[in-house]
Amino acid sequence: YEYTARVDTSGGNQSPTSQGYSITVDTVAPTQSTVITKVVDNVTPGVGDVANGAFTNDDTPEIQGTISDVLANGEVVAVYRDDAKVGEATVTGTTWTFTDASLSSGSTYEYSARVEDVAGNQGMLSNDYSISIDTSGSSQSVQILSVEDDFAPQEGVVADGGSTNDITPQVTGSISTALTGSETVVVLR
């Protein structure tokens, strides 16, 4: 639509017409469906995919997804955190990514996404994807007490720096305090 204005007097006189002001009326919502496929942790030691509902130590996780069809001109993939729009994804073809920023340790966040157009029309909301952030380091101290060989001919405690023919030795250790709900002991080899 193109709008202009002028002033008319009771005597039929008219002022000059204003400059034009045009708008496009769009009441049709985007039709693409949106799916959040995964959240990626890029902070060591837990680099990789974060399962829906799981913990991550990355306070700037990357949310990834797909859309059912390419975007039309003026359409974007809008990303929501806890029902509030936090940004627009980078879209390539029918895949998209969004890196969130500065999430708080000890908090759980729920993401969703949808296609939106410049007129504010919104497509269907995606699936929800929830992650919990834990960037606090453990205050635990861990100590390996012994490594046990239970494979003949030499069985028993293997000295630190020693050798064994047991391919599955038992590692025994201690921790300074009881584990919390999100902590686990990891034995590395």
Side-chain angles (χ1 to χ4, degrees), residues 52-76:
N52 193 355
F55 281 86
T56 177
N57 67 329
D58 188 347
D59 65 354
T60 59
E62 180 179 82
I63 294 83
Q64 296 182 5
T66 61
I67 50 178
S68 60
D69 199 2
V70 295
L71 297 176
N73 189 31
E75 291 179 332
V76 298

Side-chain angles (χ1 to χ4, degrees), residues 126-140:
S126 74
N127 57 307
D128 291 331
Y129 204 106
S130 174
I131 61 170
S132 297
I133 308 298
D134 183 0
T135 60
S136 61
S138 178
S139 60
Q140 294 278 8

Side-chain angles (χ1 to χ4, degrees), residues 36-56:
I36 297 176
T37 55
K38 64 182 171 179
V39 172
V40 179
D41 178 327
N42 295 311
V43 176
T44 57
V47 174
D49 295 350
V50 180
N52 193 355
F55 281 86
T56 177

Side-chain angles (χ1 to χ4, degrees), residues 134 138-143 173-187:
D134 183 0
S138 178
S139 60
Q140 294 278 8
S141 62
V142 180
Q143 181 179 14
S174 68
I175 55 177
S176 58
T177 60
L179 298 174
T180 66
S182 66
E183 292 180 315
T184 58
V185 174
V186 178
V187 178

